[in-house]
Amino acid sequence: MAIAYSELIHATAVIDPDAILAPDVQVGAYAIIEGPVQVGAGCVVEGHACLSGPLRMGRDNFVGHGAVLGKSPQHRGYRDEPTGVEIGDGNVFREFVTIHRGTMQGNGVTVVGDRNLFMCGSHLGHDVRVGDGCTVVNNALVAGHASLDNDCILSGNTAVQQRVRVGRLAMLGGMSSSTKDIPPFVLQQGYNCVTGLNLVGLRRSGASTASINALRQAFRILYREGRPISAALDLIERDFRDFAEVAEFVDFIRQSKLGINPSRSSDRGNYDIH
């Protein structure tokens, strides 16, 4: 067997001979580690959790009770190919989180970066890519091939459609869903509706007052002034190109294949973008 049992591994845990665990990994009662799974130093796997390989996990991750990481994708075209999941360091996967491995139709791997928090019952579908520092709240659902950039927030009971990109420091409000890309620093609420900037997240991230004000102006030009989207982006780029956050905002939208959603004012009227 590839590991030596110790007081850190409960006697009822089932560990596959192909699994490789760092010496200080803790494994709780009735946990299952099956197939080629690598678990780094300092990780904790609570009782009844299941890690299924191919799966590689870095250091200091916490896997909560009943979480299932690395099972096969929910995809009709999957034919038991040896796809996988790669997880970085310092992540928290709370109770009953599910993460599925990739498909051959994607990159073959589902990727999770560092220091992310996945709360109870949240789900990542096949081929999803998650950056660093993201918060995925209880029962949030992320469909296949979607991507979450650093420090974004998906609130409770939200849903992100397949292939949607969520930009850095963007926030999807509780009970909301999106079928289109969510630009960096934007707040969305309800169904496919932008409502403003994530000002709290920007301030907490250390963004300067000047950068935040430039983003306010960029938001107004794009969402409030009725210009075609390409013309709005050209104007934003011309006037605010020196601000890194604005450049990130513009570049993300220019690269979008699904498009972005319209904005809604405080009186709940819609402002279309073209």
PDB file of all heavy atoms in Angstrom, residues 13 67 74 103 117 119 169 227:
ATOM      1  N   ALA A  13     -11.892   4.131   7.445  1.00  0.00           N
ATOM      2  CA  ALA A  13     -11.658   4.774   6.150  1.00  0.00           C
ATOM      3  C   ALA A  13     -11.170   3.736   5.143  1.00  0.00           C
ATOM      4  O   ALA A  13     -10.454   2.791   5.490  1.00  0.00           O
ATOM      5  CB  ALA A  13     -10.639   5.897   6.288  1.00  0.00           C
ATOM      6  N   ALA A  67     -18.586  15.497   1.402  1.00  0.00           N
ATOM      7  CA  ALA A  67     -18.189  16.100   0.127  1.00  0.00           C
ATOM      8  C   ALA A  67     -17.710  15.015  -0.831  1.00  0.00           C
ATOM      9  O   ALA A  67     -17.118  14.011  -0.411  1.00  0.00           O
ATOM     10  CB  ALA A  67     -17.090  17.128   0.345  1.00  0.00           C
ATOM     11  N   GLN A  74     -21.170  14.651 -15.289  1.00  0.00           N
ATOM     12  CA  GLN A  74     -22.559  14.415 -15.719  1.00  0.00           C
ATOM     13  C   GLN A  74     -22.696  14.890 -17.163  1.00  0.00           C
ATOM     14  O   GLN A  74     -23.212  15.974 -17.434  1.00  0.00           O
ATOM     15  CB  GLN A  74     -23.522  15.149 -14.782  1.00  0.00           C
ATOM     16  CG  GLN A  74     -23.446  14.636 -13.356  1.00  0.00           C
ATOM     17  CD  GLN A  74     -24.332  15.404 -12.401  1.00  0.00           C
ATOM     18  OE1 GLN A  74     -25.107  14.819 -11.649  1.00  0.00           O
ATOM     19  NE2 GLN A  74     -24.235  16.722 -12.409  1.00  0.00           N
ATOM     20  N   THR A 103     -13.844  16.528 -19.043  1.00  0.00           N
ATOM     21  CA  THR A 103     -14.236  15.674 -20.165  1.00  0.00           C
ATOM     22  C   THR A 103     -13.232  15.842 -21.288  1.00  0.00           C
ATOM     23  O   THR A 103     -12.478  16.814 -21.344  1.00  0.00           O
ATOM     24  CB  THR A 103     -15.629  16.059 -20.703  1.00  0.00           C
ATOM     25  OG1 THR A 103     -15.557  17.385 -21.264  1.00  0.00           O
ATOM     26  CG2 THR A 103     -16.680  16.032 -19.610  1.00  0.00           C
ATOM     27  N   LEU A 117     -13.337  29.217  -1.000  1.00  0.00           N
ATOM     28  CA  LEU A 117     -14.294  28.694  -0.023  1.00  0.00           C
ATOM     29  C   LEU A 117     -15.541  28.225  -0.758  1.00  0.00           C
ATOM     30  O   LEU A 117     -16.218  29.025  -1.418  1.00  0.00           O
ATOM     31  CB  LEU A 117     -14.664  29.772   0.998  1.00  0.00           C
ATOM     32  CG  LEU A 117     -15.833  29.452   1.949  1.00  0.00           C
ATOM     33  CD1 LEU A 117     -15.543  28.199   2.770  1.00  0.00           C
ATOM     34  CD2 LEU A 117     -16.118  30.647   2.861  1.00  0.00           C
ATOM     35  N   MET A 119     -19.055  26.602   0.067  1.00  0.00           N
ATOM     36  CA  MET A 119     -19.938  26.326   1.196  1.00  0.00           C
ATOM     37  C   MET A 119     -20.854  25.140   0.893  1.00  0.00           C
ATOM     38  O   MET A 119     -20.853  24.590  -0.210  1.00  0.00           O
ATOM     39  CB  MET A 119     -20.737  27.578   1.542  1.00  0.00           C
ATOM     40  CG  MET A 119     -19.866  28.738   1.982  1.00  0.00           C
ATOM     41  SD  MET A 119     -20.860  30.116   2.608  1.00  0.00           S
ATOM     42  CE  MET A 119     -19.598  31.386   2.744  1.00  0.00           C
ATOM     43  N   LEU A 169     -13.599  39.744  -8.924  1.00  0.00           N
ATOM     44  CA  LEU A 169     -14.324  40.585  -7.978  1.00  0.00           C
ATOM     45  C   LEU A 169     -15.769  40.861  -8.390  1.00  0.00           C
ATOM     46  O   LEU A 169     -16.397  41.776  -7.862  1.00  0.00           O
ATOM     47  CB  LEU A 169     -13.593  41.914  -7.739  1.00  0.00           C
ATOM     48  CG  LEU A 169     -12.424  41.870  -6.754  1.00  0.00           C
ATOM     49  CD1 LEU A 169     -11.650  43.173  -6.800  1.00  0.00           C
ATOM     50  CD2 LEU A 169     -12.905  41.593  -5.330  1.00  0.00           C
ATOM     51  N   ARG A 227     -25.219  53.800 -25.872  1.00  0.00           N
ATOM     52  CA  ARG A 227     -24.352  53.595 -27.031  1.00  0.00           C
ATOM     53  C   ARG A 227     -24.288  52.112 -27.412  1.00  0.00           C
ATOM     54  O   ARG A 227     -24.447  51.243 -26.563  1.00  0.00           O
ATOM     55  CB  ARG A 227     -22.930  54.071 -26.726  1.00  0.00           C
ATOM     56  CG  ARG A 227     -22.765  55.575 -26.592  1.00  0.00           C
ATOM     57  CD  ARG A 227     -21.306  55.902 -26.314  1.00  0.00           C
ATOM     58  NE  ARG A 227     -21.080  57.341 -26.341  1.00  0.00           N
ATOM     59  CZ  ARG A 227     -21.250  58.130 -25.292  1.00  0.00           C
ATOM     60  NH1 ARG A 227     -21.690  57.616 -24.144  1.00  0.00           N
ATOM     61  NH2 ARG A 227     -21.020  59.424 -25.381  1.00  0.00           N
TER      62      ARG A 227
END
